[in-house]
Amino acid sequence: MAAARQLCTFFLDELYFGVDVQKVQEVIRYQEMTRVPLAPPVVQGLINLRGQIVTAIDMRRRLDLPALPEGQLPMNVVIRTDDGPVSLLVDEIGDVQEVDSEQFERPPETLRGQAREMIQGAYKLNERLLLILDSDRAACIASGHHE
Amino acid sequence: MDMLDEIVKEFLIESYENLDRLDQDLMALEEVPDDRNRLSSVFRAIHTIKGTSGFLAFNKLEHVTHVGESLLVLLRDGKMRLNNVIANGLLAMVDAVRKIMASIEAGQGEGDGDYHDLVADLERLQETGGIETSVSGLEPVEAKRATEILESIAKQVGIMSDASSSVAVTTTNVAPAKKRAKGGRRKKAVNADNSGGAATAVMELASSSIAFPEIVVPNFSQPVIEKHATESAASVSPAEIHAEHVTEAAPKQEALECVSKGGNPHDGEGGEKGPSQSVSDSTVRIDVTLLDKLMNLVGELVLARNQILQCSRSTQDASLIAASQRLNLITTELQEGVMKTRMQPIQNAWAKLPRVVRDLSAICKKKVQVKMEGADTELDKTILEAIRDPLTHIVRNSVDHGIETPEVRESRGKSVEGTLLLRAFHEGGQVNIEISDDGGGINLARVKEKAIGQGMITADQAASMSERELMNLILLPGFSTAEKVTNVSGRGVGMDVVKTNVEKIGGTLDIHSIYGQGTTLRIKIPLTLAIVPALMVTCEKDRYAIPQNSLVELVRLEGDRVKREIEHIHNSPVYRLRGNLLPLLFLDEQLQLRPTRSAAELNENSVVNIVVLNAEDRQFGLVVDQINDTEEIVVKPLSKHLKENSTYAGVTIMGDGTVALILDALGLAKRAHVVSASRDRIKTQGGVAEQAGGDAKQTLLLMGLGETQRLAIPLSLVARLEEIPMASVERADGQMVVQYGGQIMPLLDLGDVLRPGQGGGNNSQMLQVVVYSENGRSVGLVVDRILDIVETTLAIQRTGKRIGVLGSVVIQNRVTDLLDIHNLILASDRDFFATPPTSLAV
């Protein structure tokens, strides 16, 4: 019997992603944020999360996906990292999905670019693929090698 | 109390705490004699007291605790088991320690209580383990109890016998002589303490006196007590002894109380003041992490308060307004209170300096006295910690390098003893700390020589450097003017570390020195780092906070003045602030929120708000869209991802809950090259970019001469740009001069100097003058045109062959001569640098 794993899922430009439920602090709707001029472009802004300052990262940009259409507001998936909470901005939130390690497969070699670093692999669900996002990598923007 | 030495005071506070815990621990140990942890804890406590008392030369204390410690070693190592007898012995020891400490605290040394009996008891216990002292003829429980009481009484009585003898001394020997009276008072203090112990014993006795119903009250006499004391220790005939002790102790205690209460019948000199509140009663030790947590909470509260205040502004509800105002007041007070808990007098950091100076001056064979002013100036604990080492370093430097040997001082007509003055005071929300000595001062000529010798600057650069810049060389790593390296200092590490440490906590370091007269180092540091007053500004609809400590003033230009008063030197806007050129930075441009404005675009603005900021002693104007309010903000660190960005000092949460970035004036200035890192600046100055790697940029003023010639000088050398009407030019000593700022300023027509024979003569009615100042003297360089201010990396293509030209560079695709102002001026006035009015040898 393979170990089951619970994933918090979300959508980004039709792609179905998941991060470990353990990593997720909370999911909140769109928050007003303060932009940070001169910061790396993936930093969308800073959010006041009950007195805590949380950096919001535009996941579409992080994964080299086209920007969210005008008028559509992203959701916040607040994840825990070693450097405090970081919010990943996603299009839409999915369910908590239980997956089986038998369904897992590493990403193909043809996956290139930024995405390669962040996508650990995929769970082959019946109807579609669930991509596993390495949240620590995704939150790590200090290196500045974006775009 | 204020006479108490700081160290002794701390020792007392610490020891009282230890003793309180000891009591509890010993008590608990009676229940569970084998609790190793507790035994170790007791042992450690006693050991600490012993160690410190030995260190502080409290011999009695050391002796008593030493015996106790030896006993505890046996217990701890399991060679002996704790029983009541031992516990009592130890508790008696604790009491004795308390007594001695009370005496120390009262400023009377260790007092003259005699603890030999106690010591003997404890020593005996080490051998016997307190087992043979059992009492026969009573029920086991009672026997135990009786032994216990007897033991304690034995001790009390032993102590009392001392006490009573001293009472006797007091009563018989009170003489008018002050010395004696003093002695008498000291004894009484001891008595007072003893009475406390005796009272406990009596109470214990009373509680167990059911077994001994008959109590007689005979007159007591010294020998009787002593006799019984020894007897009781040997434990014979418990009932009788008990009875007698009760009766004896009671009147005795009354007598003692009488003495201690100051209604003192024996003393001819009047009453004795009751002992002041104990040190340990008036202070509480708090974990710093708890304080930090409290501080954070107060920070949150301040934010919440700000939010409520904002809400209350838009309401008509009188009760809400009143309540929010009250909240405002209380929060402010609470905030101040919590801040105060973290405040410590700078004395704490200074305390060890006199000792440092003393030792050091002995090594250096110098005589130095330390004076302190404002030692009670308070600052945040974290800041205090941070400046401790820099302070020590500066003081060491002052003694080693600053103050001269007595012989030299004498020959210079100074007093043989040098003075080191430590001064601290609050000013403008900051703490200023000055360390000044009346020593030799900094010899700028030697600094220059050394710096050139060490290859840090070239001779040319040195010539063109201002006094302040030369002074700052001292702060560079690896620099030392000491003739020889001593084991004290002179290795050239240090001042740069001092500077870095001070800057790390948001402070600044300044050196003022007059050669031959002394040096003053001034450190300016913020009071606290957590909550700071800040100016809120708006830029492109976002709000930013500017900490007030970098704020100088605000300037608002409206209507016509925008066009008229903001001038452009090529593309760089400047504003004349009381005659000085203030470079302007547009915040939106700096933050890359919009492209750089042209002069025409700027003129469209009807209002320009300039926030004048200070970064490393350079001023610049930051143009923002709107200036809002000042507000107390809670500084929160930027997340790690954004920390690399030096433009921001942190973030804060505003009253309405939105996040605002805190601008860092220094970071902004560096980003815009208003100030460059001093190392870069020094190395590139005068055009030695080749050595510096050519990366560092510097700002140059471009000038035109004749039809085509272009000249450049570093903007940092330019004091002012002036237009002077030809009519006001006069002649003196065959030279063109102009009255300028109350001085006669010579004018130097660069056309005459650089293009001799080409006419040079300026025919226009207005002269364009670049004013260069050094050491309070100015010289005006007359050029045909002021062209531009550019920021560029210098890469000299051709070195100059003429006097006054360092070399040629390509700037804006045009060949430009880089002026060597120093030599240029020397060529016209040989004495310009030689006899500066401020007598500073350069």
Side-chain angles (χ1 to χ4, degrees):
Chain A
M1 187 63 203
R5 184 179 175 192
Q6 284 196 320
L7 295 172
C8 171
T9 63
F10 51 86
F11 294 90
L12 274 171
D13 193 30
E14 306 293 313
L15 294 173
Y16 190 42
F17 280 96
V19 290
D20 213 312
V21 154
Q22 302 289 329
K23 286 271 183 190
V24 179
Q25 177 181 316
E26 61 192 297
V27 175
I28 44 175
R29 62 181 168 74
Y30 176 75
Q31 301 279 306
E32 281 296 327
M33 53 185 112
T34 304
R35 62 178 159 173
V36 187
L38 308 177
V42 294
V43 174
Q44 189 85 357
L46 300 173
I47 298 172
N48 170 15
L49 184 65
R50 297 183 298 275
Q52 220 174 1
I53 311 278
V54 177
T55 313
I57 294 173
D58 182 350
M59 283 315 291
R60 277 190 173 240
R61 200 185 279 262
R62 187 82 180 92
L63 289 164
D64 295 331
L65 299 172
L68 204 60
E70 282 284 322
Q72 212 177 315
L73 292 176
M75 302 273 285
N76 293 285
V77 178
V78 182
I79 55 161
R80 298 188 188 90
T81 73
D82 295 340
D83 308 320
V86 171
S87 168
L88 307 180
L89 297 177
V90 302
D91 298 358
E92 219 177 302
I93 300 292
D95 294 328
V96 171
Q97 187 96 39
E98 202 153 299
V99 288
D100 213 305
S101 60
E102 279 175 4
Q103 298 168 295
F104 186 75
E105 199 165 313
R106 300 202 58 76
E109 295 306 312
T110 47
L111 181 64
R112 294 264 157 226
Q114 306 250 15
R116 166 117 212 143
E117 289 175 24
M118 282 175 276
I119 297 173
Q120 292 172 321
Y123 284 95
K124 296 161 285 179
L125 306 183
N126 288 338
E127 63 278 27
R128 60 180 137 200
L129 291 176
L130 173 53
L131 308 176
I132 302 306
L133 190 74
D134 183 339
S135 57
D136 288 328
R137 285 262 172 90
C140 177
I141 47 157
S143 46
H145 54 71
H146 42 82
E147 287 169 62
Chain B
M1 191 67 53
D2 43 6
M3 305 268 290
L4 266 186
D5 195 339
E6 199 63 41
I7 303 168
V8 174
K9 203 166 158 186
E10 270 183 27
F11 163 60
L12 289 175
I13 295 173
E14 188 182 285
S15 302
Y16 277 135
E17 282 170 13
N18 279 339
L19 288 176
D20 287 345
R21 214 176 47 233
L22 266 183
D23 277 347
Q24 293 167 14
D25 282 348
L26 284 173
M27 244 68 105
L29 275 172
E30 277 186 296
E31 303 294 325
V32 193
D34 291 321
D35 187 342
R36 283 271 165 271
N37 284 338
R38 256 188 220 283
L39 272 171
S40 308
S41 143
V42 170
F43 174 76
R44 269 198 307 274
I46 290 292
H47 182 76
T48 309
I49 296 177
K50 183 193 111 172
T52 322
S53 57
F55 176 67
L56 295 171
F58 293 131
N59 295 329
K60 269 188 198 174
L61 195 55
E62 186 186 17
H63 193 53
V64 170
T65 44
H66 175 71
V67 198
E69 191 193 3
S70 312
L71 185 57
L72 280 165
V73 170
L74 294 174
L75 293 169
R76 189 191 58 175
D77 298 347
K79 290 183 182 137
M80 208 179 264
R81 200 157 183 277
L82 188 115
N83 56 27
N84 286 346
V85 184
I86 296 179
N88 286 337
L90 289 172
L91 283 172
M93 178 202 64
V94 172
D95 289 342
V97 170
R98 271 222 177 84
K99 241 159 269 164
I100 299 175
M101 289 203 299
S103 168
I104 293 171
E105 191 185 336
Q108 293 165 333
E110 293 178 271
D112 30 15
D114 183 4
Y115 303 101
H116 285 113
D117 292 349
L118 173 66
V119 169
D121 266 357
L122 289 170
E123 274 167 357
R124 194 166 43 75
L125 283 172
Q126 280 179 44
E127 287 158 22
T128 61
I131 296 158
E132 103 288 15
T133 344
S134 61
V135 179
S136 54
L138 285 170
E139 298 277 294
V141 179
E142 274 177 356
K144 206 169 144 198
R145 181 92 189 121
T147 326
E148 195 184 319
I149 293 164
L150 280 176
E151 277 287 335
S152 107
I153 287 179
K155 243 125 267 159
Q156 295 304 336
V157 169
I159 293 155
M160 278 196 296
S161 64
D162 298 330
S164 63
S165 70
S166 39
V167 172
V169 171
T170 330
T171 47
T172 52
N173 290 1
V174 171
K178 250 189 181 167
K179 207 172 165 190
R180 290 246 186 108
K182 219 175 175 182
R185 246 178 262 135
R186 181 178 304 157
K187 270 153 204 157
K188 267 170 268 146
V190 176
N191 296 347
D193 292 324
N194 286 351
S195 69
T200 327
V202 171
M203 266 156 67
E204 258 179 11
L205 213 48
S207 67
S208 65
S209 62
I210 320 127
F212 321 103
E214 55 163 325
I215 295 174
V216 204
V217 186
N219 288 331
F220 69 89
S221 66
Q222 184 77 26
V224 175
I225 300 175
E226 268 172 5
K227 190 173 136 236
H228 283 300
T230 34
E231 275 171 6
S232 61
S235 77
V236 243
S237 171
E240 203 186 316
I241 290 166
H242 267 291
E244 276 191 27
H245 276 301
V246 173
T247 56
E248 282 155 12
K252 173 121 193 183
Q253 196 200 336
E254 274 167 27
L256 289 170
E257 262 172 8
C258 174
V259 173
S260 68
K261 270 178 187 159
N264 171 356
H266 315 298
D267 199 330
E269 292 214 332
E272 175 83 1
K273 266 191 267 166
S276 63
Q277 200 185 16
S278 163
V279 179
S280 59
D281 289 345
S282 58
T283 57
V284 178
R285 286 192 161 208
I286 302 177
D287 198 355
V288 176
T289 49
L290 179 65
L291 271 186
D292 287 343
K293 203 175 157 199
L294 215 55
M295 191 75 192
N296 281 340
L297 284 174
V298 169
E300 300 294 330
L301 185 64
V302 168
L303 291 177
R305 187 260 326 249
N306 292 352
Q307 284 173 25
I308 298 226
L309 279 185
Q310 201 142 15
C311 291
S312 73
R313 271 178 211 137
S314 56
T315 180
Q316 301 296 320
D317 187 342
S319 63
L320 176 63
I321 293 172
S324 67
Q325 275 166 355
R326 228 181 115 54
L327 176 71
N328 184 15
L329 277 177
I330 295 170
T331 312
T332 311
E333 265 177 44
L334 180 65
Q335 185 190 331
E336 278 169 11
V338 172
M339 303 272 265
K340 264 201 194 118
T341 60
R342 295 177 53 91
M343 291 297 197
Q344 291 191 321
I346 195 162
Q347 171 70 38
N348 290 4
W350 281 359
K352 64 171 184 171
L353 295 178
R355 177 70 199 276
V356 170
V357 170
R358 189 192 152 277
D359 292 358
L360 204 57
S361 51
I363 297 171
C364 304
K365 299 195 174 56
K366 292 175 182 176
K367 285 187 178 167
V368 186
Q369 61 160 328
V370 182
K371 282 190 191 164
M372 292 181 181
E373 279 176 26
D376 51 354
T377 309
E378 290 189 323
L379 55 165
D380 195 277
K381 187 180 160 61
T382 42
I383 296 180
L384 199 68
E385 293 300 323
I387 60 159
R388 215 179 271 263
D389 288 345
L391 273 182
T392 314
H393 195 91
I394 293 171
V395 165
R396 288 167 78 100
N397 252 341
S398 284
V399 175
D400 194 27
H401 302 313
I403 290 170
E404 316 93 324
T405 55
E407 301 83 59
V408 176
R409 289 186 67 87
E410 210 159 15
S411 70
R412 289 185 184 175
K414 297 180 184 176
S415 68
V416 178
E417 195 177 37
T419 309
L420 187 74
L421 175 67
L422 299 170
R423 225 171 134 239
F425 54 97
H426 290 286
E427 190 184 73
Q430 286 189 310
V431 179
N432 290 17
I433 304 169
E434 288 180 1
I435 302 102
S436 19
D437 63 62
D438 61 348
I442 295 170
N443 185 345
L444 283 180
R446 268 204 57 70
V447 169
K448 199 185 278 187
E449 214 176 283
K450 271 270 177 180
I452 296 170
Q454 290 176 7
M456 300 170 97
I457 51 168
T458 65
D460 287 346
Q461 285 173 291
S464 61
M465 283 169 77
S466 74
E467 202 180 301
R468 203 188 124 232
E469 284 172 319
L470 283 171
M471 207 73 96
N472 283 340
L473 285 176
I474 295 169
L475 303 176
L476 294 187
F479 188 87
S480 173
T481 50
E483 307 291 326
K484 54 180 188 287
V485 172
T486 66
N487 64 348
V488 181
S489 49
R491 288 176 202 284
V493 279
M495 283 317 279
D496 63 311
V497 178
V498 170
K499 187 171 188 267
T500 327
N501 280 349
V502 169
E503 280 173 356
K504 218 183 275 171
I505 50 168
T508 55
L509 179 68
D510 253 343
I511 310 176
H512 295 275
S513 181
I514 298 178
Y515 184 50
Q517 291 180 31
T519 308
T520 299
L521 269 117
R522 182 175 296 139
I523 301 173
K524 281 190 185 185
I525 36 180
L527 272 177
T528 179
L529 301 174
I531 300 181
V532 295
L535 179 76
M536 301 308 300
V537 300
T538 309
C539 171
E540 292 280 316
K541 298 192 183 74
D542 285 332
R543 273 176 304 173
Y544 297 88
I546 302 172
Q548 290 229 318
N549 56 12
S550 52
L551 193 65
V552 182
E553 59 179 296
L554 301 175
V555 178
R556 183 179 165 92
L557 301 179
E558 282 176 338
D560 273 1
R561 293 181 62 194
V562 176
K563 206 179 285 180
R564 215 171 51 235
E565 295 187 23
I566 294 185
E567 293 162 276
H568 282 78
I569 302 182
H570 194 64
N571 282 330
S572 311
V574 290
Y575 171 72
R576 294 192 204 199
L577 185 67
R578 288 182 289 278
N580 287 328
L581 285 185
L582 185 76
L584 295 181
L585 302 178
F586 286 84
L587 184 57
D588 44 9
E589 291 170 15
Q590 290 303 317
L591 297 179
Q592 292 172 8
L593 296 175
R594 59 162 293 158
T596 312
R597 290 175 176 77
S598 68
E601 278 177 292
L602 175 63
N603 287 343
E604 287 164 17
N605 289 16
S606 56
V607 177
V608 170
N609 291 304
I610 305 172
V611 181
V612 183
L613 297 175
N614 193 346
E616 280 193 345
D617 280 349
R618 299 282 164 100
Q619 292 195 346
F620 66 96
L622 189 67
V623 180
V624 299
D625 295 354
Q626 211 180 323
I627 290 170
N628 306 12
D629 220 347
T630 57
E631 216 168 300
E632 299 263 289
I633 57 165
V634 181
V635 181
K636 289 171 178 279
L638 270 174
S639 71
K640 213 172 158 191
H641 316 108
L642 303 172
K643 247 188 191 144
E644 288 168 21
N645 198 329
S646 65
T647 314
Y648 309 116
V651 278
T652 188
I653 297 176
M654 303 298 306
D656 58 5
T658 54
V659 180
L661 291 157
I662 303 169
L663 295 174
D664 182 349
L666 189 59
L668 265 175
K670 282 195 170 145
R671 191 180 166 80
H673 304 280
V674 173
V675 291
S676 44
S678 56
R679 258 164 267 178
D680 297 345
R681 187 167 69 227
I682 284 159
K683 283 198 171 163
T684 48
Q685 209 154 46
V688 277
E690 300 97 317
Q691 294 169 17
D695 279 327
K697 292 191 169 185
Q698 67 168 309
T699 313
L700 299 173
L701 177 72
L702 292 187
M703 301 159 293
L705 209 58
E707 294 289 303
T708 51
Q709 190 173 3
R710 286 162 71 97
L711 303 170
I713 59 170
L715 191 61
S716 56
L717 296 179
V718 177
R720 278 178 286 274
L721 299 180
E722 294 285 351
E723 279 190 329
I724 294 174
M726 199 61 203
S728 60
V729 175
E730 297 167 83
R731 292 207 157 256
D733 200 13
Q735 208 178 9
M736 285 207 299
V737 295
V738 65
Q739 291 177 31
Y740 183 77
Q743 281 191 344
I744 298 174
M745 179 171 76
L747 293 181
L748 192 60
D749 192 331
L750 290 184
D752 286 344
V753 182
L754 298 175
R755 297 153 63 95
Q758 293 195 25
N762 242 303
N763 300 323
S764 55
Q765 287 305 301
M766 293 297 268
L767 294 182
Q768 302 291 329
V769 177
V770 177
V771 180
Y772 168 81
S773 290
E774 186 162 327
N775 299 332
R777 295 181 46 160
S778 306
V779 79
L781 308 174
V782 181
V783 296
D784 291 349
R785 289 179 307 281
I786 303 284
L787 294 174
D788 196 359
I789 289 180
V790 291
E791 188 192 289
T792 179
T793 42
L794 282 182
I796 294 198
Q797 314 260 323
R798 250 179 84 232
T799 43
K801 294 184 181 65
R802 284 171 300 163
I803 290 174
V805 177
L806 277 175
S808 306
V809 290
V810 176
I811 296 172
Q812 295 177 337
N813 300 322
R814 300 276 302 272
V815 175
T816 308
D817 286 338
L818 205 56
L819 287 184
D820 177 358
I821 293 214
H822 189 78
N823 284 323
L824 204 60
I825 293 170
L826 273 188
S828 72
D829 180 0
R830 240 170 294 138
D831 297 331
F832 184 78
F833 297 100
T835 54
T838 46
S839 80
L840 271 150
V842 173

